[in-house]
Amino acid sequence: MSSRFPSPDPAPAHESRPALDLGAPKNAYPEETAFPQDSLQALLGAVAQTAPALPWAAYRAGEKLHLIGQGGQVDVLGNWPVAIAKDTFEAFCREHHLHRWASGQGESTLGWVLAPQSEAGNGVVADLARKLGLRLQIDALARAQASQRVLYEISYLASSTRDRSAFLQGVHRQLSTLIDAENFYLALYESQTDKVTYPYYIDSTDAEALEAEDHEFLDRQRMSMTGHVLTTGKALFVDVADIAAAQEQGIFYCVGHRPEFWMGVPLKNASDEVFGMLAMQVYDVSRIYSVEDRELFLVVARHVAMALDRILHRVHLEETVARRTLELSTLNDALRHEVGDRERAEHLQRALFQITELASQPGDMADLFRGLHSIVGELLFALNFYIALFDDVTTEVTFPYYVDEFRDTPPKPRRGERGATEYVIRQRRPCLINHQEVLRLEALGELSVQNDANLSYSWLGIPLFDGDVVRGVLAVQSYSADVRYSLRDQELLTFVSRHIDTALSRRSAAEAIHTANARLEARVQDRTRELDHANAQLQHENAHDSLTGLPNRAHLQQRLQSAWQAFCNHGQELVVMFIDLDRFKMVNDSLGHQSGDLLLIQVADRLRHCMRDSDLLARLGGDEFAVLAFGAPPDVTAAIAERILQAFDLPFHIDGHTVFSSCSVGVVGADSQFHQEPADLLRDADTAMYRVKNAGRDSYALFSQEVRREVSDQMEQETALRNALKRSDELLPYFQPIIDVETGEILALEALIRWHQPGGNIVAPGQFLPALEGLRLIGRLDFYMLQSVVALLAQPEHAHWPTVHVNCSSYSITRAEFADEVLSLLREHGVAPSRICLELTEGALVAEPELARQAMKHLADNGVSVVLDDFGAGFSSLSYVHQYHFTGLKIDKSFILELTASPRSRAIVRAIVRMAESLDLSVVAEGVEDAETLALLREMGAGQAQGYYFSRPVPKEELKLR
């Protein structure tokens, strides 16, 4: 090589580390996926053959100019340099008397063709430059389209894939379609501990491999190339010479097999903190990455960083939720145990009361035994239950009550037997006998040998006493190994048996004395008690809500009337609060009405704890509650409202689900100047609550004169608008052209409503439409505009009009019958569906996405186009364009108005335009105010524009289309 030409800078290289074998075969992503160069080399080879003596060289532009082909006698000027620095290019041409031809234009020149100055007029070289430029532009466009697709696929992976490993495999697969990515790995970094993990590692050369999720710690005394990128936060592109030079200087070291080419890019989160890196490497010098490959890898790495950061954040959030759920589950188990103990105590107390009541009721001994069996069965397993009575004089044992799952008839009376019943009578104490105890007692002669096939697995007998004399035995038994009686059961049944003793004694005495009178008296007492209970229950139910136990609307109105009298007579302060749950319908729809009821019960309990003792909390119905605060000054009222909002900050736990539900609170204080009756307070509190709803919810608002005036003005405006909808001369469409950016031709019109009020005032839509959003009235206004526009298009003199865009609210597009109404209107007037285009903001897509999708598909299938308005202003994203049937986008005017002054706005608009082109969507730039903005849009390739630079919205009489 001639010394007159500078030598090229060394190319970047890759670091080698042990590969993580994730099951993918070597060369899983072959290099054939890179962009083919055959057509480019064929072009250069053809020129070299056509003019073999002509000296020339072709270079690809970039950070450096790289030689891609040459021809002629190279010794005329010496060997052409492999690379030329961009800032020395002009000096190089002057020094060597070279003429240059630019080849291909994108955002900058794509390449150059060089030849001696004497060949400046040579048509062969000029033709080569032209053809080379066309080839480079085609290659650049193909690379841009492929890059766009890969970035879209990565974004889709991030939103649709929850598994990090699947996401990384998908990224590797997509990246391999653009770059030689045979050797590719990702490292995650914890800066506090210098811990590095490798969740994804593919290497075709190094035999040693780390298992997935293995980790290491950075050695800052001998920093690897991976550690260098992680700690500096800067991308690193090095070749084998650079690696050797860096190792000599102690900057970083290559770990494992040394690559010919290595590049690594840091991954940063939203706080610009490094949390990992991506790296690629090749071991063959012929496969060294180009400048375009490096730049593309940087772009892909930024997108991977954003996507992976979201996935890691989501995983961290899920782990936190799981940990918190486990903590709550532990607390819940402890609570359940406590509740279980309390319930057992309550069951025991109830059983004792029932035994006492049973003893005082009329009836024979059989009724008493059945009742005792039922009560004991509520305390423990008593499927097999009997009561044996013992005659101390005759020593006879009888079985007046005997229930057994294997025996239909009770044992016959007996004497002198040595069964378990007699064993308890002899011992005069409770006995718990299992199979092993039976064998022991048989060996001692206390029990006779049992030959019955249905031997009980566990048997528990309790002696019954009359004074100090054993009168019988109460026994339960189990034939299943799954049911075993315990000492706790023995203690429980022993305790109950003392009350059974008393019950038996009382029943025996009651049977002996005036049985008939006792029955009659008991019957009268029972009926009186039931009647009193029924009356009390009826009065309570009439004044309280059956679900929450809170006072109901009738009770509230009764108390409000009394409080109103105290306010009018004595000036006692009176405050009414109206509380409405936010998103309660979503809980009902998603979890069911039973879960909704459980939520209301928990809400009522939380609200009780926010009240003072003197306040009245009531449920009005549904998810609405009200509070009467007696003698509450403003600071006390505010404190109550704040406590309510804080109480709703904590989640509700319903049937295994964690639910968050905020509330909106309206507050009004009684004022004799504006309130004439108690109902006025409920009305104004409800109005204040709805103001909170409209302002974003989860807050409280105090009703004031400003609110009163706003409500009055809004009602007046709604009334005037309803009247205007009945006329044809007030609500008129104005039209603003949509222009072809290149030719200036009018491609479409947008119909914008103007309200010509009777007083001569013309009101823009921004002054009255926001208050109607979500109401049925906005739907009537949408259809009114559609009728007006369709009627105009149907007139013969307007047959030459282009397509007219009509705005559509979220209320209309989510009505099931809206699409059919639009198509019926077009058929009625004989207007082709293609002459109407609906403009829709993202509000409907967020509110009722499925209903909006169905309506848009029905319209699109019948020829009515729909465009997404104000794109980029809210949460609009590629997912909307992908999921819904849009034919175009309208870029929000906030970006267009800043286009000449804001590089960020220019970048966003350019990205939207390119994305729309790749998806075959039309693009309209709203808000074009000057020629400079138009020129920028034309340079970016935007197809359509709209704004005051072309025309303000004008009535149809002033519209000029020709």
Side-chain angles (χ1 to χ4, degrees):
M1 179 182 294
S2 173
S3 61
R4 295 184 298 164
F5 295 102
S7 60
D9 289 346
H14 293 238
E15 180 180 9
S16 167
R17 288 194 51 84
L20 291 178
D21 185 1
L22 302 183
K26 300 298 182 180
N27 300 319
Y29 308 102
E31 66 185 42
E32 282 76 14
T33 56
F35 290 99
Q37 298 297 320
D38 295 344
S39 57
L40 178 61
Q41 297 303 325
L43 171 64
L44 298 176
V47 174
Q49 292 178 3
T50 301
L54 175 65
W56 58 271
Y59 285 85
R60 188 190 300 273
E63 294 178 348
K64 293 181 180 180
L65 279 71
H66 291 269
L67 181 65
I68 58 176
Q70 63 183 11
Q73 301 298 324
V74 296
D75 57 353
V76 175
L77 296 176
N79 290 331
W80 296 97
V82 177
I84 304 174
K86 185 176 181 180
D87 55 353
T88 64
F89 181 53
E90 291 185 6
F92 172 83
C93 292
R94 288 196 302 270
E95 179 184 352
H96 299 287
H97 307 291
L98 299 174
H99 186 75
R100 54 183 178 173
W101 289 262
S103 297
Q105 292 294 327
E107 294 184 351
S108 61
T109 301
L110 301 179
W112 296 92
V113 175
L114 305 182
Q117 189 67 44
S118 60
E119 303 296 335
N122 193 321
V124 174
V125 184
D127 186 58
L128 169 61
R130 181 182 62 79
K131 292 180 179 179
L132 176 62
L134 180 60
R135 182 71 256 168
L136 293 177
Q137 287 175 330
I138 292 173
D139 291 347
L141 178 59
R143 180 178 289 271
Q145 290 175 339
S147 301
Q148 180 88 15
R149 175 186 57 76
V150 167
L151 295 181
Y152 175 84
E153 291 295 333
I154 290 175
S155 298
Y156 177 77
L157 279 171
S159 62
S160 62
T161 303
R162 300 179 65 86
D163 181 67
R164 184 181 65 186
S165 177
F167 168 75
L168 294 176
Q169 290 179 9
V171 169
H172 189 186
R173 187 181 306 109
Q174 293 300 325
L175 187 59
S176 297
T177 65
L178 300 177
I179 310 175
D180 182 356
E182 181 180 9
N183 305 295
F184 171 87
Y185 70 88
L186 176 137
L188 295 179
Y189 178 52
E190 295 178 8
S191 58
Q192 298 85 352
T193 61
D194 274 354
K195 180 181 178 181
V196 182
T197 57
Y198 298 91
Y200 192 82
Y201 208 115
I202 300 295
D203 194 289
S204 63
T205 298
D206 278 343
E208 298 180 3
L210 295 172
E211 294 295 331
E213 301 302 333
D214 273 8
H215 66 273
E216 63 181 13
F217 293 92
L218 294 182
D219 183 358
R220 291 186 175 268
Q221 302 301 319
R222 186 179 176 84
M223 189 67 72
S224 66
M225 291 187 289
T226 298
H228 183 77
V229 173
L230 292 173
T231 54
T232 62
K234 297 179 180 179
L236 181 63
F237 303 92
V238 289
D239 63 1
V240 65
D242 293 332
I243 296 172
Q247 290 190 163
E248 290 180 2
Q249 300 175 27
I251 300 175
F252 55 75
Y253 298 85
C254 176
V255 179
H257 192 81
R258 182 176 297 178
E260 292 292 334
F261 219 94
W262 189 95
M263 55 183 176
V265 179
L267 303 178
K268 298 183 180 181
N269 58 24
S271 302
D272 204 36
E273 298 172 343
V274 175
F275 69 88
M277 65 156 290
L278 286 179
M280 293 170 54
Q281 55 192 354
V282 294
Y283 299 96
D284 186 352
V285 70
S286 65
R287 298 166 66 179
I288 289 179
Y289 297 111
S290 66
V291 174
E292 290 84 357
D293 292 337
R294 300 181 227 166
E295 294 173 349
L296 183 59
F297 188 54
L298 284 170
V299 173
V300 171
R302 284 195 293 270
H303 281 72
V304 171
M306 291 186 292
L308 188 58
D309 184 43
R310 290 197 301 270
I311 292 175
L312 293 176
H313 178 73
R314 185 167 62 223
V315 171
H316 175 71
L317 181 60
E318 290 174 350
E319 291 175 350
T320 302
V321 170
R323 184 174 62 255
R324 182 58 180 157
T325 301
L326 179 61
E327 295 172 355
L328 292 176
S329 177
T330 303
L331 293 175
N332 191 39
D333 290 341
L335 181 60
R336 277 202 302 270
H337 287 307
E338 181 180 346
V339 170
D341 292 338
R342 184 174 300 174
E343 287 177 348
R344 281 191 292 272
E346 291 175 353
H347 288 166
L348 178 59
Q349 187 68 33
R350 184 165 60 249
L352 299 181
F353 288 154
Q354 289 174 342
I355 292 172
T356 302
E357 185 178 358
L358 186 64
S360 63
Q361 290 179 351
D364 56 18
M365 294 301 287
D367 294 331
L368 176 63
F369 293 150
R370 280 192 293 271
L372 292 174
H373 184 189
S374 176
I375 294 171
V376 171
E378 293 180 3
L379 300 176
L380 46 77
F381 180 84
L383 180 61
N384 305 289
F385 173 93
Y386 69 86
I387 293 177
L389 295 181
F390 174 65
D391 190 333
D392 186 58
V393 177
T394 64
T395 68
E396 183 181 66
V397 178
T398 59
F399 300 87
Y401 187 82
Y402 195 99
V403 176
D404 191 278
E405 60 184 312
F406 295 111
R407 190 166 186 169
D408 297 329
T409 59
K412 296 179 180 180
R414 65 195 189 193
R415 294 187 183 91
E417 296 279 347
R418 300 193 71 81
T421 303
E422 288 81 3
Y423 180 75
V424 172
I425 294 173
R426 293 197 303 273
Q427 296 294 319
R428 298 174 56 86
R429 62 175 177 80
C431 295
L432 178 58
I433 302 175
N434 55 25
H435 185 64
Q436 291 76 15
E437 182 67 6
V438 168
L439 296 177
R440 187 184 70 83
L441 293 175
E442 287 178 349
L444 294 174
E446 293 290 343
L447 295 180
S448 59
V449 177
Q450 303 292 314
N451 296 319
D452 192 348
N454 296 319
L455 294 177
S456 59
Y457 190 86
S458 183
W459 186 93
L460 175 60
I462 309 296
L464 301 175
F465 291 88
D466 183 9
D468 193 45
V469 177
V470 176
R471 74 162 72 196
V473 174
L474 182 151
V476 291
Q477 55 187 334
S478 165
Y479 297 103
S480 171
D482 296 329
V483 179
R484 303 181 184 182
Y485 297 109
S486 63
L487 291 176
R488 185 172 185 174
D489 296 327
Q490 177 180 311
E491 293 171 358
L492 175 64
L493 202 54
T494 301
F495 182 78
V496 173
S497 70
R498 301 295 176 259
H499 292 74
I500 293 176
D501 290 340
T502 304
L504 290 174
S505 299
R506 291 181 61 185
R507 176 57 62 88
S508 298
E511 286 183 344
I513 304 173
H514 308 297
T515 302
N517 291 335
R519 288 181 177 179
L520 178 61
E521 182 179 355
R523 189 177 298 113
V524 171
Q525 290 177 351
D526 289 343
R527 294 294 301 274
T528 302
R529 186 163 50 250
E530 291 172 0
L531 182 60
D532 292 340
H533 177 74
N535 288 334
Q537 184 68 21
L538 183 60
Q539 292 178 0
H540 184 272
E541 290 176 356
N542 286 338
H544 290 78
D545 172 51
S546 60
L547 178 65
T548 63
L550 294 176
N552 57 19
R553 182 185 291 271
H555 190 179
L556 173 75
Q557 291 176 338
Q558 180 182 1
R559 293 288 301 275
L560 178 59
Q561 185 66 41
S562 302
W564 176 259
Q565 294 299 326
F567 165 75
C568 295
N569 297 334
H570 308 293
Q572 182 182 7
E573 291 178 302
L574 174 61
V575 172
V576 175
M577 295 184 178
F578 203 101
I579 306 168
D580 188 90
L581 302 188
D582 301 329
R583 305 192 303 166
F584 177 74
K585 182 177 182 299
M586 184 179 70
V587 175
N588 263 348
D589 293 344
S590 60
L591 301 181
H593 289 279
Q594 181 178 359
S595 295
D597 289 345
L598 295 176
L599 175 61
L600 290 174
I601 293 172
Q602 294 187 32
V603 166
D605 185 63
R606 289 196 186 181
L607 290 175
R608 286 190 189 97
H609 290 85
C610 299
M611 302 297 114
R612 302 174 302 166
D613 293 339
S614 59
D615 299 331
L616 174 68
L617 170 65
R619 182 189 177 203
L620 303 183
D623 61 339
E624 297 178 345
F625 299 81
V627 177
L628 297 184
F630 307 97
D635 58 334
V636 174
T637 302
I640 296 175
E642 290 289 348
R643 287 199 297 270
I644 292 174
L645 296 179
Q646 291 175 4
F648 279 77
D649 286 342
L650 299 175
F652 296 90
H653 301 285
I654 302 171
D655 288 340
H657 299 279
T658 300
V659 176
F660 286 87
S661 177
S662 58
C663 66
S664 301
V665 184
V667 184
V668 63
D671 189 335
S672 57
Q673 182 180 357
F674 303 104
H675 301 134
Q676 306 302 320
E677 58 183 14
D680 295 343
L681 293 173
L682 289 174
R683 177 201 64 203
D684 291 347
D686 185 58
T687 300
M689 182 274 294
Y690 272 106
R691 184 173 189 181
V692 176
K693 288 277 189 186
N694 295 332
R697 307 179 180 180
D698 194 16
S699 184
Y700 73 93
L702 180 66
F703 189 88
S704 62
Q705 293 312 304
E706 178 183 357
V707 176
R708 192 185 303 278
R709 284 193 298 271
E710 288 179 4
V711 172
S712 177
D713 293 344
Q714 183 176 347
M715 292 179 61
E716 291 178 4
Q717 189 181 65
E718 287 186 20
T719 301
L721 188 58
R722 291 179 187 275
N723 292 331
L725 286 169
K726 300 175 183 178
R727 301 168 58 87
S728 60
D729 58 347
E730 289 190 30
L731 298 170
L732 302 177
Y734 276 41
F735 299 91
Q736 188 177 32
I738 298 175
I739 307 298
D740 187 299
V741 171
E742 291 294 336
T743 66
E745 178 187 359
I746 296 178
L747 300 178
L749 301 172
E750 181 178 1
L752 301 165
I753 192 169
R754 293 293 186 272
W755 186 1
H756 289 248
Q757 294 182 332
N761 186 33
I762 300 178
V763 182
Q767 300 180 28
F768 63 93
L769 287 185
L772 306 180
E773 192 64 39
L775 301 180
R776 184 178 180 183
L777 188 59
I778 193 70
R780 291 182 55 192
L781 190 60
D782 286 344
F783 204 73
Y784 182 96
M785 280 291 291
L786 275 170
Q787 286 178 314
S788 301
V789 171
V790 172
L792 286 174
L793 292 175
Q795 297 174 5
E797 60 267 33
H798 300 142
H800 65 285
W801 278 24
T803 300
V804 178
H805 291 220
V806 182
N807 288 283
C808 177
S809 68
S810 60
Y811 176 89
S812 293
I813 200 67
T814 54
R815 286 196 305 114
E817 61 274 19
F818 175 74
D820 287 332
E821 291 175 356
V822 172
L823 297 174
S824 177
L825 178 66
L826 293 170
R827 287 193 298 268
E828 178 184 345
H829 288 80
V831 175
S834 59
R835 299 188 68 190
I836 286 291
C837 177
L838 298 181
E839 291 190 9
L840 180 66
T841 62
E842 64 177 293
L845 311 183
V846 175
E848 295 287 348
E850 186 55 35
L851 292 177
R853 183 184 293 107
Q854 293 175 4
M856 292 170 63
K857 184 179 186 305
H858 189 28
L859 290 169
D861 290 344
N862 287 274
V864 178
S865 57
V866 183
V867 300
L868 180 58
D869 197 8
D870 299 336
F871 185 81
F875 297 95
S876 300
S877 66
L878 287 173
S879 62
Y880 288 156
V881 179
H882 180 69
Q883 297 175 27
Y884 297 87
H885 295 265
F886 289 111
T887 58
L889 308 173
K890 295 189 77 173
I891 305 175
D892 186 72
K893 64 177 63 178
S894 62
F895 299 110
I896 307 303
L897 293 174
E898 297 179 355
L899 200 61
T900 58
S902 170
R904 181 179 178 85
S905 293
R906 290 196 294 274
I908 292 173
V909 172
R910 181 177 286 108
I912 293 174
V913 169
R914 291 182 177 175
M915 177 274 295
E917 289 177 351
S918 66
L919 297 176
D920 197 24
L921 299 173
S922 63
V923 178
V924 179
E926 291 184 292
V928 178
E929 303 284 351
D930 51 55
E932 185 178 359
T933 301
L934 178 61
L936 282 173
L937 290 171
R938 186 178 293 118
E939 184 268 334
M940 292 177 183
Q944 302 175 34
Q946 177 182 359
Y948 283 6
Y949 178 74
F950 308 108
S951 172
R952 290 176 175 272
V954 296
K956 61 181 177 61
E957 295 80 6
E958 300 177 22
L959 186 63
K960 298 178 181 180
L961 298 177
R962 298 178 178 174

